[in-house]
Amino acid sequence: MTSLRVRRIVAGGVAAMFALTACDSGTDSAAPRQLSDSDRAAVRHALEAAVATGLAGVQVVVTEDGRDWTASAGVGNTESGAVFPDNAVVRVGSNTKAFVATAMMQLVAAGTVELDAPVERYLPGVVRGEGIDGNRITVRNLMQHTSGLPEYLELPELDVDYDVMLTQHHDAADLVQRALSTMPAHFPPGAKAEYSNTNYLLVGMVLERVTGHPVAEEVTRRVIEPLGLRHTYFPATGDLDLRDPHPQGYEPDNGKRVDVTRLDTTWAGAAGALVSTGGDLNRFFTALLAGKLVQPTQLAQMQRDTKPLTNRPAGIDYGLGLARLAVPCDAQVWGHGGSIPGFRTTDGVTAKGRAVTVVANQRPTDPTSTSALQHVFDTAVCAAS
């Protein structure tokens, strides 16, 4: 049994011994026309620099004018040396929240859910605990992380070996009940914004209560299927494997890489269980920000109601399932990001319509790797257009 621990397994928003390889998908004519040869060279250089910090592999997908350009460095499988596959299917962690928030905002537009209604209206008796009162916490508080609710990932029973997590099934309602009954509120509702995955387990539970359907079914029907996202899905119960083509996902453990590709993600649920690709994520965020998934009023609320997250790096203002991301150029970027055992993703769309997703098949654990991965995203976003 490996000693790898998996506490704090859904985040917000984050090797020299292997040959550094870069590959472009398609031909130059298929690449976004705004990316020049020098732009693509700069992105490839950033990819190679990220892998040189110790990451197994990194891939970027840039989507513009409906066309994708993909470049990768490192490997998708450290044993075989296979490259990071194009159109790689990966676990996208907290990007799930943006999909769930989109489905919820459709319900808001229909008048089925009120953002400023107390959670108690939809989940009577559920949101209770020390300093916790569902009559004072609104749906908006949950969606923008201003509820003050504790982090369910801090539960001792989730601080287990990877081999246990692999096959341990969890129920969202049970995780919420245990978290709220054993940990106090961090602050009064609305006092500040603190990222807590508990919020989105509850958003998913509200969605299920008012529709009568599982959150995975509602998100699939309302978001995934209308956009034709063929590689995006919630794993079914007992589905531990990723669909092909996929890289292996790795976690560092005592100087070694542990393959954590197979995983039961029922503990992540509406907070982070989704599987997708860079191309599908780009199409989702592009459609969302273009007003193709929610009404203008609801999209404006998702972007207007932003708060700086006090427990995340500076430069992330969180709205209702969307985050405004700081980049080193004058581009305005909205997106999200995700971290889950084996994978780290960062994604966003500029005001001019360039969508960028960066995927690593090993989560960075030090500032150097984290900065290098961010630099790949910044380079692709800020390339001349």
Side-chain angles (χ1 to χ4, degrees), residues 19 22 35 99 101 210 221 269 314:
L35 287 178
F99 284 73
V210 300
R221 182 177 67 84

Side-chain angles (χ1 to χ4, degrees), residues 211-231:
T211 65
H213 302 125
V215 64
E217 183 178 318
E218 283 297 312
V219 171
T220 299
R221 182 177 67 84
R222 293 173 176 274
V223 181
I224 296 172
E225 289 179 345
L227 293 180
L229 305 181
R230 297 186 297 111
H231 305 290

Side-chain angles (χ1 to χ4, degrees), residues 279-333:
D280 272 9
L281 286 176
N282 284 351
R283 278 177 271 284
F284 162 70
F285 281 106
T286 298
L288 174 59
L289 291 162
K292 296 181 180 179
L293 289 170
V294 297
Q295 296 295 320
T297 298
Q298 280 66 50
L299 178 59
Q301 288 177 310
M302 295 176 78
Q303 295 179 282
R304 183 180 64 244
D305 294 341
T306 59
K307 301 287 184 182
L309 295 171
T310 58
N311 60 341
R312 288 294 183 267
I316 300 178
D317 288 338
Y318 204 92
L320 304 182
L322 270 178
R324 184 168 53 206
L325 308 177
V327 292
C329 58
D330 63 359
Q332 184 181 97
V333 183

Side-chain angles (χ1 to χ4, degrees), residues 18-375:
F18 301 108
L20 293 175
T21 62
C23 57
D24 301 347
S25 71
T27 64
D28 284 344
S29 62
R33 62 188 179 191
Q34 286 85 347
L35 287 178
S36 66
D37 289 344
S38 61
D39 291 334
R40 294 196 288 273
V43 173
R44 292 190 198 99
H45 178 74
L47 287 165
E48 292 171 355
V51 171
T53 67
L55 299 175
V58 185
Q59 182 174 91
V60 62
V61 181
V62 181
T63 304
E64 211 158 6
D65 298 330
R67 295 171 294 176
D68 294 344
W69 175 71
T70 302
S72 304
V75 294
N77 187 313
T78 59
E79 290 189 6
S80 68
V83 299
F84 212 115
D86 286 347
N87 208 28
V89 176
V90 299
R91 303 189 194 282
V92 299
S94 286
N95 283 297
T96 308
K97 295 177 175 68
F99 284 73
V100 172
T102 299
M104 180 60 75
M105 294 306 280
Q106 291 180 6
L107 294 173
V108 171
T112 307
V113 174
E114 293 183 26
L115 282 176
D116 294 313
V119 182
E120 184 72 13
R121 176 187 298 180
Y122 306 107
L123 300 173
V126 172
V127 183
R128 301 281 177 83
E130 185 180 343
I132 300 169
D133 183 354
N135 288 296
R136 299 179 58 215
I137 297 171
T138 67
V139 175
R140 189 189 304 272
N141 289 147
L142 297 178
M143 294 183 70
Q144 68 178 180
H145 295 294
T146 56
S147 68
L149 292 176
E151 174 59 78
Y152 80 91
L153 294 180
E154 297 291 342
L155 286 168
E157 51 266 50
L158 290 181
D159 189 21
V160 298
D161 292 314
Y162 166 69
D163 289 356
V164 176
M165 183 60 70
L166 178 64
T167 57
Q168 198 173 56
H169 182 84
H170 291 279
D171 175 73
D174 181 54
L175 289 172
V176 167
Q177 188 277 326
R178 282 185 279 164
L180 302 190
S181 65
T182 59
M183 294 182 280
H186 287 191
F187 53 86
K192 59 181 180 178
E194 182 180 278
Y195 198 94
S196 173
N197 290 283
T198 308
N199 289 313
Y200 273 80
L201 287 192
L202 283 163
V203 173
M205 289 169 64
V206 171
L207 194 152
E208 291 184 337
R209 181 66 63 89
V210 300
T211 65
H213 302 125
V215 64
E217 183 178 318
E218 283 297 312
V219 171
T220 299
R221 182 177 67 84
R222 293 173 176 274
V223 181
I224 296 172
E225 289 179 345
L227 293 180
L229 305 181
R230 297 186 297 111
H231 305 290
T232 301
Y233 64 95
F234 281 87
T237 300
D239 184 3
L240 310 185
D241 297 298
L242 289 172
R243 298 174 186 172
D244 290 326
H246 70 82
Q248 302 302 107
Y250 300 98
E251 287 286 291
D253 181 38
N254 295 322
K256 300 179 181 180
R257 287 193 183 99
V258 178
D259 189 329
V260 296
T261 311
R262 302 190 76 238
L263 196 65
D264 185 317
T265 55
T266 52
W267 49 264
L274 200 69
V275 173
S276 190
T277 65
D280 272 9
L281 286 176
N282 284 351
R283 278 177 271 284
F284 162 70
F285 281 106
T286 298
L288 174 59
L289 291 162
K292 296 181 180 179
L293 289 170
V294 297
Q295 296 295 320
T297 298
Q298 280 66 50
L299 178 59
Q301 288 177 310
M302 295 176 78
Q303 295 179 282
R304 183 180 64 244
D305 294 341
T306 59
K307 301 287 184 182
L309 295 171
T310 58
N311 60 341
R312 288 294 183 267
I316 300 178
D317 288 338
Y318 204 92
L320 304 182
L322 270 178
R324 184 168 53 206
L325 308 177
V327 292
C329 58
D330 63 359
Q332 184 181 97
V333 183
W334 289 90
H336 210 284
S339 182
I340 194 166
F343 299 98
R344 171 72 171 267
T345 56
T346 304
D347 34 65
V349 181
T350 71
K352 294 183 178 180
R354 174 180 296 162
V356 176
T357 291
V358 176
V359 180
N361 63 335
Q362 176 184 327
R363 292 190 298 174
T365 57
D366 61 81
T368 301
S369 295
T370 300
S371 296
L373 206 53
Q374 183 64 43
H375 182 60

